[in-house]
Amino acid sequence: QWQAYMAGFERRLLVLEALSWKTAALYMAKVRDFFAWAAETLPGRPMDQITRHDVEAYLEWCFYLGNKNCTRATKLIALRKFFGYLAYEDVLPENITAKIPKPKVPRLFVQKFQREEVLKLFGVLEITTERGIRDAVILIFAVFCGMRVNEIVSLNLGDITEDDGKLYIVIRDSKHNSFREVSLWKAPALFVKQLLSIRMAQCAGINDPFLVSYNRGDKVSGHRLTGVAIGTNIKAYAAKAGLRKLKVNPHMFRATHASDLRHIKGYDIAAIAERLGHKHIASTDRYLPSRERISREYRTLAEYWHEFTTIWTRKEENADEDNKLVLGADRGSETCPRPGSWINSHPAQAVPAGI
C-alpha cells in the first residue's frame, strides 16, 4: 500500500523541497527500510493503522541493531518527511512522527589544512605536464573557491567564463539544485586558462567535461574525472609532501577556505555561507570551530595567499643552486642556464614562470 505513494513522495522531495537526487534517494531508501521491517514485524497492518509507537519500536530495534545516533536521526527525518507528506495529502489525519524526539547527534567539526600544508601540496605538483596542470586546477578550485568534489568533477568547459578581465566559475550545486558563481584572481586564473586552452586543443566543446582522466603515459582518456580519483590523488600528494595527518580528504579544503575567508575584510558568517553554497548558517558553523578574534585582516584572498605566486619560483631557484654545485665541481666556474618556461608541454597560452 505504501508503495503507491512513493512516486508522489519523490516528487515532493525533488520539486517542492528542491532536494538533490542523491538526498531524495537516501530518504526514500530509509522509508523502504522501515516498511520492510514493518512487513515482518507488523504483518498485514494497514498503513493508516501504523502508530507513533510502531515507529518508536522500529527506532528502538535500530538502536539494539547497533545503529549510531546520526543513522537513527536520518531514518527519523526520512519517516517524518514521508508521514508528513501523507498528512499533507490527507491520506493520514496527522504526522504520527511529529512528536518523536530526535536522537542527539554530536556536533562534528570538519578538519582543515593549514596554509603551510596547502603550499606544500602545490609545491609537489609537476606543472610541466597536462596532468600536473589539471591537478593544480583541482586544488585551486578546492582551496580558493571552496568547491565540493562533486561540483569540481561536474564542471564543463562552458562553466568557465571571463568578464572584464576577471575569471568566473559557475558552480552547479547538486546538493540544492541551484548554482552560484565565484571569481578567481589573476595568479590561479592563469592555471585555469591554461587547462582551458589544453582542453580546447583536445577538441572539447562547451558541454564537455573540463576535468578528464589520463591513462598511463599521460595520454588523455577524455572521460570525466571522478571524485574517487581526486581523493586518491590528494592522498598521494599529501604523502609526497610529507604531511602528517591522521585523515586526508578533499572536503577538508572547504573547511580551509571557510577559515581563510574569516581573514578577508567583508566576509562575515553569512557571506562565507553564501560562498560555500550553504542554505543554513548552522552548516557553516561546522567548518569554523574557532571564533577567536582575527589578529590581521587582508583586503583580498590574493593578498592572503600572496605566497602562492612564489611556489614555483622558489623551486626553480633551488634547482639552479643544485645545478651550480654539480657543474661547479665538474667544470670549474660553469653554471647551468636558467630553465625556460615551466609550461612547455602545450604551446597555447603558456603561463609565465613563477606563477
Side-chain angles (χ1 to χ4, degrees), residues 117-148:
E117 294 174 328
V118 172
L119 293 172
K120 286 182 179 179
L121 284 173
F122 275 113
V124 299
L125 299 178
E126 295 294 336
I127 55 174
T128 56
T129 67
E130 291 183 2
R131 187 199 296 263
I133 296 171
R134 180 206 66 184
D135 291 347
V137 169
I138 291 171
L139 282 183
I140 285 168
F141 287 156
V143 178
F144 301 152
C145 300
M147 295 174 62
R148 302 179 179 93

PDB file of all heavy atoms in Angstrom, residues 117-148:
ATOM      1  N   GLU A 117      50.583  23.761   4.817  1.00  0.00           N
ATOM      2  CA  GLU A 117      50.357  22.437   4.238  1.00  0.00           C
ATOM      3  C   GLU A 117      49.834  22.542   2.811  1.00  0.00           C
ATOM      4  O   GLU A 117      50.218  21.746   1.935  1.00  0.00           O
ATOM      5  CB  GLU A 117      49.385  21.649   5.110  1.00  0.00           C
ATOM      6  CG  GLU A 117      49.940  21.303   6.484  1.00  0.00           C
ATOM      7  CD  GLU A 117      48.914  20.658   7.396  1.00  0.00           C
ATOM      8  OE1 GLU A 117      47.714  20.986   7.271  1.00  0.00           O
ATOM      9  OE2 GLU A 117      49.313  19.835   8.237  1.00  0.00           O
ATOM     10  N   VAL A 118      48.962  23.500   2.578  1.00  0.00           N
ATOM     11  CA  VAL A 118      48.423  23.702   1.226  1.00  0.00           C
ATOM     12  C   VAL A 118      49.539  24.098   0.269  1.00  0.00           C
ATOM     13  O   VAL A 118      49.630  23.594  -0.865  1.00  0.00           O
ATOM     14  CB  VAL A 118      47.320  24.772   1.234  1.00  0.00           C
ATOM     15  CG1 VAL A 118      46.896  25.119  -0.195  1.00  0.00           C
ATOM     16  CG2 VAL A 118      46.117  24.295   2.021  1.00  0.00           C
ATOM     17  N   LEU A 119      50.419  24.987   0.713  1.00  0.00           N
ATOM     18  CA  LEU A 119      51.537  25.411  -0.128  1.00  0.00           C
ATOM     19  C   LEU A 119      52.458  24.238  -0.447  1.00  0.00           C
ATOM     20  O   LEU A 119      52.981  24.128  -1.562  1.00  0.00           O
ATOM     21  CB  LEU A 119      52.313  26.533   0.569  1.00  0.00           C
ATOM     22  CG  LEU A 119      51.555  27.862   0.738  1.00  0.00           C
ATOM     23  CD1 LEU A 119      52.355  28.824   1.599  1.00  0.00           C
ATOM     24  CD2 LEU A 119      51.248  28.491  -0.607  1.00  0.00           C
ATOM     25  N   LYS A 120      52.645  23.335   0.517  1.00  0.00           N
ATOM     26  CA  LYS A 120      53.450  22.137   0.262  1.00  0.00           C
ATOM     27  C   LYS A 120      52.792  21.243  -0.779  1.00  0.00           C
ATOM     28  O   LYS A 120      53.471  20.653  -1.624  1.00  0.00           O
ATOM     29  CB  LYS A 120      53.661  21.363   1.565  1.00  0.00           C
ATOM     30  CG  LYS A 120      54.653  21.994   2.530  1.00  0.00           C
ATOM     31  CD  LYS A 120      54.824  21.123   3.769  1.00  0.00           C
ATOM     32  CE  LYS A 120      55.835  21.727   4.737  1.00  0.00           C
ATOM     33  NZ  LYS A 120      55.994  20.897   5.953  1.00  0.00           N
ATOM     34  N   LEU A 121      51.467  21.123  -0.712  1.00  0.00           N
ATOM     35  CA  LEU A 121      50.749  20.318  -1.703  1.00  0.00           C
ATOM     36  C   LEU A 121      50.931  20.883  -3.104  1.00  0.00           C
ATOM     37  O   LEU A 121      51.191  20.140  -4.059  1.00  0.00           O
ATOM     38  CB  LEU A 121      49.263  20.256  -1.347  1.00  0.00           C
ATOM     39  CG  LEU A 121      48.861  19.331  -0.204  1.00  0.00           C
ATOM     40  CD1 LEU A 121      47.398  19.516   0.147  1.00  0.00           C
ATOM     41  CD2 LEU A 121      49.127  17.874  -0.579  1.00  0.00           C
ATOM     42  N   PHE A 122      50.796  22.198  -3.238  1.00  0.00           N
ATOM     43  CA  PHE A 122      51.010  22.812  -4.548  1.00  0.00           C
ATOM     44  C   PHE A 122      52.448  22.581  -5.003  1.00  0.00           C
ATOM     45  O   PHE A 122      52.716  22.373  -6.186  1.00  0.00           O
ATOM     46  CB  PHE A 122      50.730  24.313  -4.496  1.00  0.00           C
ATOM     47  CG  PHE A 122      49.285  24.680  -4.690  1.00  0.00           C
ATOM     48  CD1 PHE A 122      48.542  25.228  -3.655  1.00  0.00           C
ATOM     49  CD2 PHE A 122      48.664  24.492  -5.907  1.00  0.00           C
ATOM     50  CE1 PHE A 122      47.213  25.572  -3.832  1.00  0.00           C
ATOM     51  CE2 PHE A 122      47.332  24.830  -6.105  1.00  0.00           C
ATOM     52  CZ  PHE A 122      46.603  25.374  -5.054  1.00  0.00           C
ATOM     53  N   GLY A 123      53.377  22.621  -4.050  1.00  0.00           N
ATOM     54  CA  GLY A 123      54.788  22.527  -4.387  1.00  0.00           C
ATOM     55  C   GLY A 123      55.228  21.202  -4.960  1.00  0.00           C
ATOM     56  O   GLY A 123      56.243  21.135  -5.659  1.00  0.00           O
ATOM     57  N   VAL A 124      54.492  20.124  -4.684  1.00  0.00           N
ATOM     58  CA  VAL A 124      54.893  18.808  -5.195  1.00  0.00           C
ATOM     59  C   VAL A 124      54.275  18.486  -6.552  1.00  0.00           C
ATOM     60  O   VAL A 124      54.551  17.438  -7.123  1.00  0.00           O
ATOM     61  CB  VAL A 124      54.536  17.687  -4.186  1.00  0.00           C
ATOM     62  CG1 VAL A 124      55.250  17.895  -2.867  1.00  0.00           C
ATOM     63  CG2 VAL A 124      53.032  17.586  -3.978  1.00  0.00           C
ATOM     64  N   LEU A 125      53.452  19.369  -7.072  1.00  0.00           N
ATOM     65  CA  LEU A 125      52.820  19.123  -8.376  1.00  0.00           C
ATOM     66  C   LEU A 125      53.820  19.309  -9.509  1.00  0.00           C
ATOM     67  O   LEU A 125      54.636  20.235  -9.487  1.00  0.00           O
ATOM     68  CB  LEU A 125      51.636  20.063  -8.579  1.00  0.00           C
ATOM     69  CG  LEU A 125      50.477  19.958  -7.587  1.00  0.00           C
ATOM     70  CD1 LEU A 125      49.419  20.990  -7.919  1.00  0.00           C
ATOM     71  CD2 LEU A 125      49.883  18.568  -7.595  1.00  0.00           C
ATOM     72  N   GLU A 126      53.751  18.433 -10.494  1.00  0.00           N
ATOM     73  CA  GLU A 126      54.598  18.544 -11.686  1.00  0.00           C
ATOM     74  C   GLU A 126      53.842  19.345 -12.740  1.00  0.00           C
ATOM     75  O   GLU A 126      53.142  18.788 -13.589  1.00  0.00           O
ATOM     76  CB  GLU A 126      54.960  17.153 -12.206  1.00  0.00           C
ATOM     77  CG  GLU A 126      55.818  16.325 -11.259  1.00  0.00           C
ATOM     78  CD  GLU A 126      57.208  16.932 -11.064  1.00  0.00           C
ATOM     79  OE1 GLU A 126      57.661  17.682 -11.959  1.00  0.00           O
ATOM     80  OE2 GLU A 126      57.827  16.646 -10.029  1.00  0.00           O
ATOM     81  N   ILE A 127      53.973  20.657 -12.676  1.00  0.00           N
ATOM     82  CA  ILE A 127      53.150  21.508 -13.533  1.00  0.00           C
ATOM     83  C   ILE A 127      53.727  21.683 -14.934  1.00  0.00           C
ATOM     84  O   ILE A 127      53.281  22.560 -15.688  1.00  0.00           O
ATOM     85  CB  ILE A 127      52.921  22.883 -12.892  1.00  0.00           C
ATOM     86  CG1 ILE A 127      54.248  23.532 -12.551  1.00  0.00           C
ATOM     87  CG2 ILE A 127      52.071  22.748 -11.635  1.00  0.00           C
ATOM     88  CD1 ILE A 127      54.110  24.944 -12.046  1.00  0.00           C
ATOM     89  N   THR A 128      54.705  20.849 -15.294  1.00  0.00           N
ATOM     90  CA  THR A 128      55.191  20.852 -16.678  1.00  0.00           C
ATOM     91  C   THR A 128      54.426  19.848 -17.526  1.00  0.00           C
ATOM     92  O   THR A 128      54.728  19.683 -18.700  1.00  0.00           O
ATOM     93  CB  THR A 128      56.692  20.513 -16.720  1.00  0.00           C
ATOM     94  OG1 THR A 128      56.893  19.259 -16.068  1.00  0.00           O
ATOM     95  CG2 THR A 128      57.502  21.603 -16.029  1.00  0.00           C
ATOM     96  N   THR A 129      53.452  19.176 -16.923  1.00  0.00           N
ATOM     97  CA  THR A 129      52.648  18.199 -17.663  1.00  0.00           C
ATOM     98  C   THR A 129      51.181  18.603 -17.629  1.00  0.00           C
ATOM     99  O   THR A 129      50.752  19.367 -16.750  1.00  0.00           O
ATOM    100  CB  THR A 129      52.787  16.796 -17.047  1.00  0.00           C
ATOM    101  OG1 THR A 129      52.195  16.791 -15.735  1.00  0.00           O
ATOM    102  CG2 THR A 129      54.248  16.393 -16.941  1.00  0.00           C
ATOM    103  N   GLU A 130      50.414  18.093 -18.582  1.00  0.00           N
ATOM    104  CA  GLU A 130      48.986  18.388 -18.615  1.00  0.00           C
ATOM    105  C   GLU A 130      48.298  17.847 -17.364  1.00  0.00           C
ATOM    106  O   GLU A 130      47.425  18.502 -16.793  1.00  0.00           O
ATOM    107  CB  GLU A 130      48.351  17.774 -19.866  1.00  0.00           C
ATOM    108  CG  GLU A 130      48.772  18.448 -21.162  1.00  0.00           C
ATOM    109  CD  GLU A 130      48.073  17.858 -22.371  1.00  0.00           C
ATOM    110  OE1 GLU A 130      47.223  16.947 -22.187  1.00  0.00           O
ATOM    111  OE2 GLU A 130      48.351  18.296 -23.499  1.00  0.00           O
ATOM    112  N   ARG A 131      48.684  16.654 -16.935  1.00  0.00           N
ATOM    113  CA  ARG A 131      48.097  16.076 -15.738  1.00  0.00           C
ATOM    114  C   ARG A 131      48.409  16.943 -14.518  1.00  0.00           C
ATOM    115  O   ARG A 131      47.563  17.156 -13.652  1.00  0.00           O
ATOM    116  CB  ARG A 131      48.629  14.652 -15.517  1.00  0.00           C
ATOM    117  CG  ARG A 131      47.951  13.909 -14.374  1.00  0.00           C
ATOM    118  CD  ARG A 131      48.809  12.751 -13.908  1.00  0.00           C
ATOM    119  NE  ARG A 131      48.984  11.742 -14.936  1.00  0.00           N
ATOM    120  CZ  ARG A 131      48.259  10.633 -15.013  1.00  0.00           C
ATOM    121  NH1 ARG A 131      47.329  10.381 -14.108  1.00  0.00           N
ATOM    122  NH2 ARG A 131      48.489   9.753 -15.959  1.00  0.00           N
ATOM    123  N   GLY A 132      49.630  17.454 -14.447  1.00  0.00           N
ATOM    124  CA  GLY A 132      50.012  18.315 -13.328  1.00  0.00           C
ATOM    125  C   GLY A 132      49.231  19.614 -13.301  1.00  0.00           C
ATOM    126  O   GLY A 132      48.830  20.096 -12.237  1.00  0.00           O
ATOM    127  N   ILE A 133      49.013  20.200 -14.493  1.00  0.00           N
ATOM    128  CA  ILE A 133      48.206  21.424 -14.569  1.00  0.00           C
ATOM    129  C   ILE A 133      46.779  21.139 -14.127  1.00  0.00           C
ATOM    130  O   ILE A 133      46.174  21.912 -13.377  1.00  0.00           O
ATOM    131  CB  ILE A 133      48.226  21.987 -16.003  1.00  0.00           C
ATOM    132  CG1 ILE A 133      49.642  22.403 -16.394  1.00  0.00           C
ATOM    133  CG2 ILE A 133      47.284  23.188 -16.114  1.00  0.00           C
ATOM    134  CD1 ILE A 133      49.788  22.756 -17.853  1.00  0.00           C
ATOM    135  N   ARG A 134      46.247  19.999 -14.587  1.00  0.00           N
ATOM    136  CA  ARG A 134      44.889  19.606 -14.169  1.00  0.00           C
ATOM    137  C   ARG A 134      44.790  19.485 -12.660  1.00  0.00           C
ATOM    138  O   ARG A 134      43.849  19.995 -12.044  1.00  0.00           O
ATOM    139  CB  ARG A 134      44.514  18.278 -14.822  1.00  0.00           C
ATOM    140  CG  ARG A 134      43.121  17.762 -14.473  1.00  0.00           C
ATOM    141  CD  ARG A 134      43.037  16.255 -14.594  1.00  0.00           C
ATOM    142  NE  ARG A 134      43.866  15.577 -13.603  1.00  0.00           N
ATOM    143  CZ  ARG A 134      44.026  14.260 -13.543  1.00  0.00           C
ATOM    144  NH1 ARG A 134      43.427  13.489 -14.426  1.00  0.00           N
ATOM    145  NH2 ARG A 134      44.800  13.718 -12.606  1.00  0.00           N
ATOM    146  N   ASP A 135      45.762  18.837 -12.031  1.00  0.00           N
ATOM    147  CA  ASP A 135      45.719  18.647 -10.581  1.00  0.00           C
ATOM    148  C   ASP A 135      45.906  19.970  -9.839  1.00  0.00           C
ATOM    149  O   ASP A 135      45.334  20.167  -8.760  1.00  0.00           O
ATOM    150  CB  ASP A 135      46.780  17.633 -10.156  1.00  0.00           C
ATOM    151  CG  ASP A 135      46.455  16.228 -10.626  1.00  0.00           C
ATOM    152  OD1 ASP A 135      45.302  16.003 -11.055  1.00  0.00           O
ATOM    153  OD2 ASP A 135      47.346  15.353 -10.580  1.00  0.00           O
ATOM    154  N   ALA A 136      46.691  20.876 -10.416  1.00  0.00           N
ATOM    155  CA  ALA A 136      46.826  22.209  -9.813  1.00  0.00           C
ATOM    156  C   ALA A 136      45.486  22.937  -9.847  1.00  0.00           C
ATOM    157  O   ALA A 136      45.105  23.605  -8.875  1.00  0.00           O
ATOM    158  CB  ALA A 136      47.897  23.013 -10.554  1.00  0.00           C
ATOM    159  N   VAL A 137      44.763  22.797 -10.959  1.00  0.00           N
ATOM    160  CA  VAL A 137      43.448  23.438 -11.087  1.00  0.00           C
ATOM    161  C   VAL A 137      42.460  22.843 -10.071  1.00  0.00           C
ATOM    162  O   VAL A 137      41.648  23.568  -9.489  1.00  0.00           O
ATOM    163  CB  VAL A 137      42.917  23.288 -12.525  1.00  0.00           C
ATOM    164  CG1 VAL A 137      41.454  23.706 -12.618  1.00  0.00           C
ATOM    165  CG2 VAL A 137      43.761  24.123 -13.482  1.00  0.00           C
ATOM    166  N   ILE A 138      42.533  21.534  -9.866  1.00  0.00           N
ATOM    167  CA  ILE A 138      41.657  20.900  -8.874  1.00  0.00           C
ATOM    168  C   ILE A 138      41.903  21.496  -7.492  1.00  0.00           C
ATOM    169  O   ILE A 138      40.955  21.842  -6.770  1.00  0.00           O
ATOM    170  CB  ILE A 138      41.889  19.372  -8.857  1.00  0.00           C
ATOM    171  CG1 ILE A 138      41.374  18.738 -10.142  1.00  0.00           C
ATOM    172  CG2 ILE A 138      41.191  18.732  -7.643  1.00  0.00           C
ATOM    173  CD1 ILE A 138      41.758  17.283 -10.303  1.00  0.00           C
ATOM    174  N   LEU A 139      43.170  21.635  -7.115  1.00  0.00           N
ATOM    175  CA  LEU A 139      43.495  22.249  -5.824  1.00  0.00           C
ATOM    176  C   LEU A 139      43.022  23.700  -5.761  1.00  0.00           C
ATOM    177  O   LEU A 139      42.534  24.163  -4.727  1.00  0.00           O
ATOM    178  CB  LEU A 139      45.004  22.183  -5.571  1.00  0.00           C
ATOM    179  CG  LEU A 139      45.580  20.847  -5.099  1.00  0.00           C
ATOM    180  CD1 LEU A 139      47.071  20.989  -4.833  1.00  0.00           C
ATOM    181  CD2 LEU A 139      44.876  20.373  -3.833  1.00  0.00           C
ATOM    182  N   ILE A 140      43.173  24.403  -6.858  1.00  0.00           N
ATOM    183  CA  ILE A 140      42.730  25.809  -6.916  1.00  0.00           C
ATOM    184  C   ILE A 140      41.229  25.902  -6.676  1.00  0.00           C
ATOM    185  O   ILE A 140      40.766  26.737  -5.898  1.00  0.00           O
ATOM    186  CB  ILE A 140      43.120  26.422  -8.271  1.00  0.00           C
ATOM    187  CG1 ILE A 140      44.628  26.705  -8.304  1.00  0.00           C
ATOM    188  CG2 ILE A 140      42.332  27.708  -8.544  1.00  0.00           C
ATOM    189  CD1 ILE A 140      45.166  27.048  -9.676  1.00  0.00           C
ATOM    190  N   PHE A 141      40.453  25.056  -7.341  1.00  0.00           N
ATOM    191  CA  PHE A 141      39.003  25.067  -7.148  1.00  0.00           C
ATOM    192  C   PHE A 141      38.632  24.721  -5.709  1.00  0.00           C
ATOM    193  O   PHE A 141      37.698  25.298  -5.146  1.00  0.00           O
ATOM    194  CB  PHE A 141      38.334  24.071  -8.101  1.00  0.00           C
ATOM    195  CG  PHE A 141      38.309  24.509  -9.541  1.00  0.00           C
ATOM    196  CD1 PHE A 141      38.202  23.578 -10.563  1.00  0.00           C
ATOM    197  CD2 PHE A 141      38.372  25.851  -9.873  1.00  0.00           C
ATOM    198  CE1 PHE A 141      38.170  23.977 -11.892  1.00  0.00           C
ATOM    199  CE2 PHE A 141      38.340  26.267 -11.196  1.00  0.00           C
ATOM    200  CZ  PHE A 141      38.246  25.322 -12.209  1.00  0.00           C
ATOM    201  N   ALA A 142      39.344  23.765  -5.128  1.00  0.00           N
ATOM    202  CA  ALA A 142      39.017  23.317  -3.774  1.00  0.00           C
ATOM    203  C   ALA A 142      39.457  24.334  -2.719  1.00  0.00           C
ATOM    204  O   ALA A 142      38.692  24.665  -1.811  1.00  0.00           O
ATOM    205  CB  ALA A 142      39.676  21.961  -3.496  1.00  0.00           C
ATOM    206  N   VAL A 143      40.681  24.852  -2.853  1.00  0.00           N
ATOM    207  CA  VAL A 143      41.258  25.728  -1.823  1.00  0.00           C
ATOM    208  C   VAL A 143      40.789  27.171  -1.962  1.00  0.00           C
ATOM    209  O   VAL A 143      40.455  27.825  -0.970  1.00  0.00           O
ATOM    210  CB  VAL A 143      42.803  25.678  -1.879  1.00  0.00           C
ATOM    211  CG1 VAL A 143      43.404  26.615  -0.838  1.00  0.00           C
ATOM    212  CG2 VAL A 143      43.299  24.259  -1.654  1.00  0.00           C
ATOM    213  N   PHE A 144      40.769  27.683  -3.180  1.00  0.00           N
ATOM    214  CA  PHE A 144      40.481  29.099  -3.399  1.00  0.00           C
ATOM    215  C   PHE A 144      39.012  29.383  -3.711  1.00  0.00           C
ATOM    216  O   PHE A 144      38.593  30.543  -3.669  1.00  0.00           O
ATOM    217  CB  PHE A 144      41.354  29.650  -4.537  1.00  0.00           C
ATOM    218  CG  PHE A 144      42.834  29.526  -4.284  1.00  0.00           C
ATOM    219  CD1 PHE A 144      43.721  29.410  -5.339  1.00  0.00           C
ATOM    220  CD2 PHE A 144      43.339  29.527  -2.995  1.00  0.00           C
ATOM    221  CE1 PHE A 144      45.085  29.300  -5.113  1.00  0.00           C
ATOM    222  CE2 PHE A 144      44.703  29.407  -2.749  1.00  0.00           C
ATOM    223  CZ  PHE A 144      45.573  29.289  -3.817  1.00  0.00           C
ATOM    224  N   CYS A 145      38.244  28.341  -4.036  1.00  0.00           N
ATOM    225  CA  CYS A 145      36.810  28.530  -4.327  1.00  0.00           C
ATOM    226  C   CYS A 145      35.918  27.780  -3.346  1.00  0.00           C
ATOM    227  O   CYS A 145      34.715  28.026  -3.304  1.00  0.00           O
ATOM    228  CB  CYS A 145      36.488  28.063  -5.746  1.00  0.00           C
ATOM    229  SG  CYS A 145      37.390  28.934  -7.037  1.00  0.00           S
ATOM    230  N   GLY A 146      36.487  26.854  -2.567  1.00  0.00           N
ATOM    231  CA  GLY A 146      35.693  26.107  -1.587  1.00  0.00           C
ATOM    232  C   GLY A 146      34.682  25.166  -2.217  1.00  0.00           C
ATOM    233  O   GLY A 146      33.628  24.910  -1.640  1.00  0.00           O
ATOM    234  N   MET A 147      34.989  24.622  -3.381  1.00  0.00           N
ATOM    235  CA  MET A 147      34.027  23.780  -4.097  1.00  0.00           C
ATOM    236  C   MET A 147      34.015  22.366  -3.532  1.00  0.00           C
ATOM    237  O   MET A 147      35.029  21.843  -3.092  1.00  0.00           O
ATOM    238  CB  MET A 147      34.377  23.746  -5.589  1.00  0.00           C
ATOM    239  CG  MET A 147      34.235  25.080  -6.286  1.00  0.00           C
ATOM    240  SD  MET A 147      34.830  25.054  -8.009  1.00  0.00           S
ATOM    241  CE  MET A 147      33.721  23.858  -8.745  1.00  0.00           C
ATOM    242  N   ARG A 148      32.837  21.753  -3.565  1.00  0.00           N
ATOM    243  CA  ARG A 148      32.704  20.341  -3.227  1.00  0.00           C
ATOM    244  C   ARG A 148      33.305  19.494  -4.345  1.00  0.00           C
ATOM    245  O   ARG A 148      33.393  19.941  -5.494  1.00  0.00           O
ATOM    246  CB  ARG A 148      31.233  19.963  -3.039  1.00  0.00           C
ATOM    247  CG  ARG A 148      30.492  20.759  -1.960  1.00  0.00           C
ATOM    248  CD  ARG A 148      29.040  20.321  -1.886  1.00  0.00           C
ATOM    249  NE  ARG A 148      28.288  21.032  -0.861  1.00  0.00           N
ATOM    250  CZ  ARG A 148      27.578  22.143  -1.062  1.00  0.00           C
ATOM    251  NH1 ARG A 148      27.523  22.657  -2.291  1.00  0.00           N
ATOM    252  NH2 ARG A 148      26.925  22.720  -0.077  1.00  0.00           N
TER     253      ARG A 148
END
